[in-house]
Every structure is written in C-alpha cells, then in structure tokens.
Amino acid sequence: MERVNRILANETFKENMLHLQRLEKDRQYCRHGIDHLLDVARLAYIEDLEKGLAIEKEIIYGTSLLHDLGRVLEYTKQIPHNEASVQLAKEILPECGFNNEEVKRICGAIAAHRDEKGMLDDGLAGLLYRADKKSRTCFDCLATKTCKWSEEKKNHLIVD
C-alpha cells in the first residue's frame, strides 16, 4: 500500500482535501472528507474479496481516495466533480508511482462513478459506484427529509 500512502502524502491531494473540508464546513448533507473516502475504499475492498474479483487493493484504495477530490473544482468552477477528479487523478497518480495503464483504469472508474450503469458492472467502476452509494448512512441522517436523493437511492439499511 506504499503508493496509497504516497497519495495521502501528496501535496495536491492534501491541499484539495483541506480546501474541500473548508468548503463543506457548513454542509448539512453528506460530506466528502477522508472518512467518506476510506469508507468507500473499505466497502469496495470487502465486495472485491466477497466476490473474488481479484482487483488489487492498492488500485481500489487509490481509486476511492481520488474519486471525489474534484468536488473542490465543482464548487469553485462548476466542473462536474467526476471530470475534475479525473483531472486531479491524472496529476497525482503518476507522482505516486502508478503506471499509465493503472492511471487509465483508475480514471475510467472515477469518470463513471456517477453513472447508474455502474450498479451492474463487475469491474472497478462498479465496485466504486456501489461502495460510494453504500457508504451513506441515510437511515441515521438528520437531513434525510430534505436530501435530494430519491427514497429508492437512500440507504435505509446497513446492508441490503
């Protein structure tokens, strides 16, 4: 997990996470801090193990840590966060030792992580999509009544 630890220590990653924390300081709905990113990584990795998909742990964690980083650019420049996250990932991943093929694979999953077709995908994009949605604790959220998510999307159970 050396390369994942390099992501955590990467200046661009740290600056954007700090900026995101400030931007979401007063956000009443789900936030996108390190807790969320690690929840997504852990849920994706558990599913990977349960289904025997054999996707490398470092790839899962790297993808999960970067999938929402572009929220800063979404808030400040109105760039959709999946597109902005890909831009940032293309900068960060090579600096952290990921090769071109891995960067392409991770960026593909990040780009698709908002696409509902991901629910059925058995690859990295599907893992990310499902883990991202399952990471939300709607059943215990004080803002659930005003949340823009439909009732069908909300997590009313710990596991489904």
Side-chain angles (χ1 to χ4, degrees):
M1 295 282 283
E2 181 181 330
R3 297 182 299 172
V4 171
N5 289 324
R6 287 186 203 157
I7 292 172
L8 293 173
N10 180 276
E11 286 305 315
T12 302
F13 178 81
K14 291 191 314 187
E15 288 170 10
N16 278 276
M17 288 301 294
L18 184 59
H19 196 179
L20 185 56
Q21 184 179 8
R22 289 181 187 133
L23 289 167
E24 291 189 342
K25 176 177 63 89
D26 296 323
R27 184 179 165 96
Q28 109 185 73
Y29 303 103
C30 299
R31 294 187 183 152
H32 303 90
I34 195 70
D35 290 344
H36 167 64
L37 303 178
L38 290 174
D39 285 347
V40 171
R42 291 172 181 140
L43 288 166
Y45 188 60
I46 290 167
E47 182 181 329
D48 175 69
L49 293 174
E50 288 177 344
K51 290 185 175 179
L53 301 176
I55 298 172
E56 304 87 346
K57 186 177 185 180
E58 233 177 5
I59 298 296
I60 291 170
Y61 271 74
T63 305
S64 299
L65 286 174
L66 297 170
H67 84 279
D68 276 341
L69 197 61
R71 290 236 175 227
V72 170
L73 296 173
E74 183 172 65
Y75 294 145
T76 60
K77 297 183 180 181
Q78 290 68 54
I79 299 170
H81 82 269
N82 56 320
E83 293 173 22
S85 295
V86 167
Q87 291 173 16
L88 292 166
K90 284 181 179 179
E91 175 186 339
I92 293 168
L93 290 167
E95 292 175 4
C96 297
F98 291 84
N99 67 41
N100 289 340
E101 184 178 307
E102 292 168 326
V103 171
K104 183 177 178 183
R105 184 177 179 200
I106 290 169
C107 287
I110 291 171
H113 88 270
R114 298 176 66 199
D115 187 344
E116 289 188 12
K117 294 176 197 166
M119 184 59 79
L120 304 175
D121 181 85
D122 275 334
L124 183 60
L127 277 180
L128 180 63
Y129 178 88
R130 289 185 297 278
D132 192 29
K133 302 308 174 247
K134 289 178 185 176
S135 72
R136 301 310 187 178
T137 54
C138 305
F139 56 85
D140 191 42
C141 179
L142 298 175
T144 193
K145 290 189 186 324
T146 58
C147 178
K148 68 178 180 174
W149 273 20
S150 67
E151 286 303 311
E152 295 79 35
K153 277 188 172 181
K154 290 179 184 173
N155 295 322
H156 297 287
L157 305 170
I158 292 175
V159 272
D160 50 11

